[in-house]
């Protein structure tokens, strides 16, 4: 027999002369597996569709349960506009005026809203420390948390040990944090985790979003945070005003003391030196007096100019703009430019709403606003430069008068030195008195400024209770659960299919072995035995499969039908004994002369299936040459099939199965029967099977569907091929029709309508 291509050895042993060593046995090589196509993957998934649906449904149910258990969180939003222009009712605003807002400052304001101080104020105002949602210490621990706490070995250690392990031991004299403060810190951290402050686009509007399980509480917290932030801004302005008032009060008190001391020094000097007002001190004294008066006025003007310049420079160093300088505030030019800037900004806002940022009118309006602001800055710089020039001018005039006074004093050395000293004291007293008057004027301006202080931000949108929760996205979670379950089910299905190393389809085993599949014999359901089923139901899927098997055996040889057929398998439990008995009974019931021989001396089954004695059989025929052949044959009364049971084999008699006597027995029985079916031990178990395979015409290799490993089948076939056994084909036994439909491309149909049969006592 020509070997199939897939079972043909890689090389054939060449003939060798006597005395030369034999060639090594052929080596079988399994063909490489073909890569699966996309259609094959879809078929695999369709095969496990029920499992995929069940796993997907389980994950969907788990997702629904998890979503039901997850608390819903509502997000309320309030909006605050940062950078409102400050009120400039009095000059004190020049001291506490704010800079124009920019992106960095708006970002800083968002951090202020999320500060712990504002969070503490919100907690105290709304009583969140008593709310279990924000105070974890008030929550009941969940069951998993209780289990973890119960299993945690640290809970059973002494507190001193835990303190040593955690490094939290308090040193002597150290004041630990109070439990109330620690609880407040926990609530603050929880609240800050529920707050999100962000800038809306490129605007100066801050969005305050608060997350809570209660929509009304979320709105309250958002509005309270905005109110606390605005209140803090106003409080900062009031504090700045109070600091200015305190500074002015301290400065006024110091100047008053200086004025009193200077006036007292003048009077004491007059009294001590006999100098009185209105006395005739001569022409020189009058000149010096006039020059002294001018020097006093120059010194006063210089002090005022220096004070105004120092005030402007001090405001610049503190980060405030030049717009806060009183001369700038009182400038009519600046006021007019401010009005032009406001009109240009309003026109730019209207054009921005109507047109895009690249529109010529918008660009022209922006240029107009920038030009007005440039003029304002130029005018402010001009005013401040004027202050510098005035300070230099008054200083130069004072220095000139002082030099003239010194020259006159040097030239007129005979002038009354006492009068000059008096004039100096009066001059100092006058300067101190002028400075005191200025400070008193400034102090009057600060009166009531704390009542006018307003925050530079505005609540433009209060938070309202949301109607729908923002978290968790339940629909998305359920969808992801279904999708994840489907993916996991697909992976499990593919892994399970790849782990299945058995044969599930006829074309699968044909492609791997190169041998034809003679028949797909379905598994029997119910209590009826297969050997009885073939008689009671002659037209059934099981019986039709046996007929197909018989036809396949007959057509396996072109010259003539084989007389002796051996049924073998790789391992036990493949169902070949039942298959042999059923096939023999079916053929005998149709009028054929069929003989069944049980050659499986390790596990004989034919005598059990036909319920006959196993005392005499093949073993006695092989041991005793005088034994009568007919006495070892049992004839089935229901079908007429002849059976030679295995008999009582012994280890010594086992060698007769491979002897010449076994061949003679088969040759003697062949003329008497149309077909001889031989049931043998598994190929990988009994070595005598390989010898028997060379004595028969054909070998039918039985493989249990979905049970026998592919490697095992290939090993059994390889041994048969290596002894040159004539293998007719493969029989897939015990096929599950419902499961087979999942694997077969064009599956068998066992629901085909059959003709009505006349019952003949159920072949009982």
């Amino acid at each position: 027999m020509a070997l199939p291509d897939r079972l043909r050895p890689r090389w054939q042993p060449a003939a060798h002369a006597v005395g030369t060593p034999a060639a090594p046995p052929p080596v079988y090589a399994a063909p490489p597996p073909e890569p699966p196509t996309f259609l094959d993957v879809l078929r695999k998934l369709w095969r496990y569709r029920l499992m995929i649906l069940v796993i997907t449904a389980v994950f969907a149910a788990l997702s629904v349960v998890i979503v039901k258990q997850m608390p819903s969180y509502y997000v309320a939003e309030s909006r605050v506009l940062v950078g409102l222009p400050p009120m400039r009712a009095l000059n004190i605003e020049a001291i506490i005026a704010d800079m124009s807002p920019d992106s960095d400052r708006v970002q800083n304001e968002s951090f202020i809203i999320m500060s712990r101080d504002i969070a503490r104020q919100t907690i105290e105002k709304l009583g969140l420390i008593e709310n279990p949602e924000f105070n974890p210490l008030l929550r009941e621990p969940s069951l998993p948390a209780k289990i973890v706490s119960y299993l945690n070995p640290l809970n059973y250690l002494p507190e001193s040990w835990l303190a040593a392990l955690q490094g939290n031991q308090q040193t002597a004299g150290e004041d630990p944090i109070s439990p109330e403060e620690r609880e407040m810190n926990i609530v603050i951290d929880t609240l800050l985790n529920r707050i999100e402050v962000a800038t809306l686009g490129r605007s100066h509007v801050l969005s305050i979003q608060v997350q809570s399980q209660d929509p009304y509480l979320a709105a309250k917290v958002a509005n309270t945070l905005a109110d606390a932030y605005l209140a803090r801004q106003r409080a900062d302005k009031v504090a700045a005003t109070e600091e200015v008032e305190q500074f002015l009060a301290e400065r006024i008190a110091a100047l008053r003391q200086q004025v009193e001391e200077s006036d007292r020094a003048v009077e004491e000097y007059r009294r001590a030196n006999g100098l009185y007002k209105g006395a005739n001190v001569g022409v020189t004294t009058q000149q010096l007096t006039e020059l002294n008066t001018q020097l006093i006025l120059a010194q006063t003007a210089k002090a005022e100019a220096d004070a105004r310049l120092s005030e402007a420079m001090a405001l610049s160093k503190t980060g405030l703009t030049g717009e806060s300088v009183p001369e700038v505030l009182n400038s009519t030019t600046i006021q007019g430019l401010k009005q032009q800037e406001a009109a240009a900004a309003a026109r730019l806002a209207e054009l921005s709403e109507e047109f895009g940022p690249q529109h010529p009118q918008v660009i022209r309006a922006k240029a107009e606003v920038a030009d007005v602001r440039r003029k304002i800055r130029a005018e402010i710089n001009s005013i401040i430069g004027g202050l510098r020039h005035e300070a230099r001018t008054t200083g130069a005039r004072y220095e000139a008068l002082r030099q003239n006074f010194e020259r006159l004093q040097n030239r007129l050395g005979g002038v009354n030195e006492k009068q000059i000293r008096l004039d100096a004291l009066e001059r100092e007293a006058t300067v101190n008195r002028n400075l005191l008057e200025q400070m008193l004027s400034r102090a009057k301006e600060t009166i009531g400024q704390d009542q006018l202080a307003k925050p530079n931000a505005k609540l433009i949108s209060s938070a309202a209770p949301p109607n729908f929760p923002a978290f968790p996205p339940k629909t998305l979670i359920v969808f992801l659960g279904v999708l994840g379950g489907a993916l996991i089910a697909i992976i499990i299905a593919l892994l399970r299919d790849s782990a299945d190393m058995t044969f599930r389809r006829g074309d699968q085993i044909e492609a791997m072995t190169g041998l034809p599949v003679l028949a797909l014999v379905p598994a029997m359901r119910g209590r009826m035995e297969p050997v009885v089923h073939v008689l009671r139901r002659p037209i059934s899927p099981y019986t039709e499969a046996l007929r197909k098997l018989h036809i396949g055996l007959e057509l396996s040889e072109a010259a003539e039908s084989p007389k002796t057929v051996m049924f073998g398998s790789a391992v036990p439990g493949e169902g070949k004994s039942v298959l042999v008995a059923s096939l023999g009974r079916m053929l005998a019931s149709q009028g054929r002369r069929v003989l069944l021989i049980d050659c499986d001396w390790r596990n004989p089954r034919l005598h059990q299936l036909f319920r006959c004695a196993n005392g005499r059989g093949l073993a006695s025929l092989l041991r005793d040459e005088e034994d009568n052949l007919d006495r070892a044959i049992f004839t089935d009364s229901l079908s007429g099939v002849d059976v030679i049971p295995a008999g009582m084999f012994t280890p010594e008699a086992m060698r007769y199965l491979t002897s010449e006597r076994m061949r003679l027995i088969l040759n003697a029985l062949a003329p008497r029967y149309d077909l001889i079916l031989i049931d043998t031990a598994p190929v990988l178990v009994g070595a005598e099977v390989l010898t028997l395979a060379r004595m028969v015409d054909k070998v039918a290799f039985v493989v249990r569907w979905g049970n026998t490993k592919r490697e095992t089948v290939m090993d059994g076939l390889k041994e048969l091929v290596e002894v040159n056994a004539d293998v007719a084909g493969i029989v897939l036994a015990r096929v599950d029709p419902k499961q087979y439909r999942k694997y077969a491309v064009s599956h068998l149909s066992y629901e085909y309508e059959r003709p009505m049969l006349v019952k003949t006592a159920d072949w009982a």
Side-chain angles (χ1 to χ4, degrees):
M1 178 189 71
L3 295 177
D5 293 337
R6 295 186 177 270
L7 287 178
R8 183 174 294 129
R10 293 181 179 175
W11 56 272
Q12 295 289 345
H16 56 275
V18 179
T20 61
V27 179
Y28 170 73
E34 297 180 358
T37 62
F38 180 71
L39 185 59
D40 294 335
V41 175
L42 293 181
R43 288 170 182 165
K44 292 178 182 179
L45 297 180
W46 181 253
R47 225 175 277 156
Y48 298 96
R49 60 186 179 277
L50 182 59
M51 183 191 71
I52 294 176
L53 290 176
V54 170
I55 295 178
T56 305
V58 169
F59 272 84
L62 289 176
S63 302
V64 173
V65 172
I66 292 174
V67 166
K68 291 294 184 182
Q69 297 296 327
M70 294 176 66
S72 298
Y73 289 95
Y74 296 83
V75 175
E77 179 188 22
S78 60
R79 296 182 178 181
V80 176
L81 176 62
V82 179
L84 292 178
M87 295 179 59
R88 300 185 181 275
L90 300 175
N91 289 337
I92 187 59
E93 292 294 338
I95 301 176
I96 59 174
D98 293 330
M99 297 182 297
S100 59
D102 53 14
S103 59
D104 294 336
R105 184 182 176 189
V106 174
Q107 185 69 23
N108 295 337
E109 296 300 319
S110 67
F111 295 146
I112 294 176
I113 295 176
M114 296 188 64
S115 63
R116 300 183 69 87
D117 292 338
I118 292 182
R120 182 187 292 270
Q121 296 176 15
T122 304
I123 292 171
E124 293 175 351
K125 183 175 181 180
L126 299 179
L128 299 181
I129 199 170
E130 304 297 334
N131 192 330
E133 180 184 354
F134 293 91
N135 191 349
L137 301 179
L138 301 179
R139 302 174 191 167
E140 286 292 333
S142 60
L143 181 59
K146 292 181 180 179
I147 295 175
V148 172
S149 177
Y150 179 77
L151 297 178
N152 189 3
L154 297 178
N155 295 332
Y156 302 97
L157 295 178
E159 295 183 358
S160 59
W161 293 15
L162 290 176
L165 291 175
Q166 299 174 358
N168 293 332
Q169 286 182 330
Q170 300 294 336
T171 58
E174 184 179 355
D175 187 17
I177 300 176
S178 62
E180 293 79 8
E181 185 65 22
R182 185 177 293 105
E183 183 180 10
M184 176 60 73
N185 290 332
I186 294 175
V187 177
I188 290 175
D189 293 336
T190 305
L191 177 59
L192 292 179
N193 290 332
R194 303 284 184 86
I195 300 174
E196 182 178 357
V197 181
T199 306
L200 295 181
R202 302 180 62 183
S203 66
H204 294 162
V205 178
L206 291 177
S207 170
I208 305 174
Q209 295 183 351
V210 179
Q211 186 183 92
S212 175
Q213 299 179 15
D214 185 359
Y216 297 95
L217 182 59
K220 288 182 180 179
V221 173
N223 293 329
T224 305
L225 284 171
D227 294 340
Y229 165 70
L230 298 178
R232 175 167 177 167
Q233 272 208 342
R234 184 183 183 281
D236 292 342
K237 286 184 174 293
V238 172
T241 304
E242 292 177 353
E243 290 180 1
V244 172
E245 292 178 352
Q246 183 179 0
F247 167 76
L248 292 177
E250 293 175 355
R251 184 61 176 162
I252 288 172
L255 288 175
R256 282 176 177 173
Q257 185 177 0
Q258 292 178 5
V259 169
E260 291 177 359
E261 291 177 354
S262 60
D263 289 343
R264 189 181 301 111
V266 170
E267 295 299 329
E268 290 178 355
Y269 189 82
R270 285 179 180 275
R271 190 180 304 111
N273 294 279
L275 299 175
Y276 300 98
K277 295 180 178 180
N280 186 10
V281 292
V283 176
T284 304
T285 304
Q286 291 179 358
Q287 292 178 352
L288 290 175
T289 302
E290 293 175 359
L291 187 59
N292 184 49
T293 302
Q294 296 178 7
L295 187 62
I296 291 173
L297 295 176
Q299 185 177 8
T300 302
K302 177 179 179 298
E304 292 178 354
D306 291 340
R308 288 194 296 270
L309 180 60
S310 298
E311 180 181 1
M313 298 303 295
L315 290 175
S316 300
K317 291 181 180 180
T318 57
L320 300 177
T321 61
E323 297 178 6
S324 304
V325 178
E327 284 74 12
V328 175
L329 294 175
N330 297 328
S331 174
T332 57
T333 303
I334 294 296
Q335 293 176 359
L337 291 175
K338 284 290 184 177
Q339 293 177 358
Q340 295 179 12
E341 180 187 11
R347 185 163 55 258
L348 175 60
E350 293 176 357
L351 294 175
S352 299
E353 293 179 356
E354 184 176 0
F355 305 102
Q358 302 299 326
H359 196 272
Q361 295 187 17
V362 175
I363 296 175
R364 194 181 306 112
K366 290 182 179 179
E368 182 180 358
V369 172
D371 182 64
V372 173
R373 290 177 179 175
R374 185 167 56 255
K375 291 179 180 180
I376 291 175
R377 287 195 298 270
E379 185 65 21
I380 291 174
N381 293 333
S382 176
I383 293 174
I384 294 176
L387 292 177
R388 291 194 184 95
H389 179 72
E390 183 181 0
R392 287 194 299 270
T393 302
T394 54
R397 183 172 182 275
Y398 171 77
E399 186 66 23
L401 290 174
R402 186 181 64 79
Q403 292 177 0
N404 291 334
F405 184 83
E406 290 178 356
R407 284 195 301 270
L408 182 61
Q409 187 179 19
N410 293 332
R411 186 172 61 252
L412 300 175
V415 178
N416 193 346
E417 295 182 357
K418 296 180 181 179
Q419 185 65 35
I420 295 175
R421 175 62 179 167
L422 178 62
D423 293 340
L425 293 175
E426 289 179 348
R427 184 170 61 251
E428 182 178 358
T430 303
V431 170
N432 292 334
R433 193 176 298 106
N434 292 336
L435 291 177
L436 177 61
E437 290 177 357
Q438 292 181 5
M439 289 298 174
L440 289 175
S441 176
R442 291 293 181 88
K444 291 180 180 179
E445 292 179 359
T446 61
I447 298 176
Q449 287 298 318
D450 55 348
Q451 304 295 328
L452 299 177
K454 298 293 182 181
N456 290 342
K458 179 182 180 181
L459 180 63
I460 62 174
S461 177
S462 301
N467 297 323
F468 303 99
F471 180 84
K474 297 184 177 181
T475 304
L476 179 60
I477 292 176
V478 173
F479 172 74
L480 293 178
V482 173
L483 181 61
L487 293 177
I488 292 175
I490 290 173
I491 293 174
I492 292 175
L494 295 177
L495 291 177
R496 182 178 176 184
D497 188 83
S498 62
D500 186 5
M501 302 304 296
T502 63
F503 289 106
R504 296 286 184 173
R505 301 194 311 271
D507 58 341
Q508 192 179 40
I509 193 170
E510 287 179 352
M512 194 165 188
T513 64
L515 295 173
V517 175
L518 300 176
L520 300 176
V521 181
M524 296 298 300
R525 303 290 184 181
R527 298 181 179 180
M528 186 181 299
E529 297 181 358
V531 293
V532 180
H533 179 86
V534 295
L535 298 179
R536 294 189 176 182
R537 297 182 181 176
I539 299 179
S540 66
Y542 183 75
T543 310
E544 293 294 340
L546 295 179
R547 290 193 181 94
K548 184 177 180 181
L549 171 59
H550 177 242
I551 294 174
L553 291 174
E554 287 186 339
L555 298 179
S556 62
E557 191 67 36
E560 58 179 351
S561 299
K563 277 293 191 74
T564 56
V565 179
M566 186 189 82
F567 282 80
S569 63
V571 291
E574 302 293 88
K576 57 179 172 32
S577 297
V578 176
L579 187 63
V580 168
S582 301
L583 179 60
R585 208 171 218 185
M586 182 199 70
L587 294 177
S589 64
Q590 295 176 358
R592 293 179 179 270
R593 295 174 298 167
V594 181
L595 174 64
L596 308 181
I597 302 177
D598 193 348
C599 294
D600 188 0
W601 63 273
R602 294 175 178 83
N603 185 24
R605 287 291 310 279
L606 292 183
H607 70 282
Q608 297 176 0
L609 295 174
F610 290 96
R611 294 179 176 83
C612 62
N614 194 32
R616 300 184 61 85
L618 182 61
S620 59
L621 291 176
L622 293 175
R623 286 196 308 266
D624 190 1
E625 297 181 0
E626 302 296 333
D627 195 0
N628 188 356
L629 185 60
D630 294 332
R631 289 190 299 175
I633 297 176
F634 168 77
T635 301
D636 182 29
S637 59
L638 296 178
S639 61
V641 64
D642 291 340
V643 180
I644 298 180
M648 305 302 294
F649 269 90
T650 61
E652 293 78 9
M654 180 186 63
R655 61 185 179 87
Y656 292 112
L657 281 174
T658 59
S659 64
E660 187 64 23
R661 183 171 176 79
M662 182 64 188
R663 185 187 299 274
L664 293 175
I665 292 175
L666 292 177
N667 292 335
L669 293 173
R672 300 173 54 181
Y673 294 96
D674 298 329
L675 185 61
I676 299 176
L677 304 179
I678 301 175
D679 182 19
T680 62
V683 176
L684 300 179
V685 176
E688 70 278 1
V689 180
L690 301 178
T691 304
L692 290 173
R694 297 173 62 92
M695 299 180 184
V696 298
D697 298 333
K698 292 290 182 179
V699 176
F701 197 79
V702 181
V703 178
R704 183 173 176 179
W705 180 85
N707 183 73
T708 310
K709 300 296 182 182
R710 300 176 188 176
E711 294 81 359
T712 304
V713 174
M714 301 306 294
D715 290 342
L717 284 174
K718 184 178 73 171
E719 293 193 8
L720 291 175
V721 171
E722 288 178 349
V723 298
N724 290 327
D726 192 353
V727 181
I730 307 296
V731 180
L732 277 179
R734 303 177 70 173
V735 179
D736 188 346
K738 294 183 179 179
Q739 295 295 327
Y740 184 81
R741 293 189 182 97
K742 298 180 181 179
Y743 294 90
V745 178
S746 57
H747 55 75
L748 298 178
S749 176
Y750 295 108
E751 276 73 27
Y752 187 75
E753 291 188 6
R754 302 172 182 85
M756 296 295 295
L757 298 178
V758 179
K759 296 185 179 180
T760 57
D762 286 341
W763 297 84

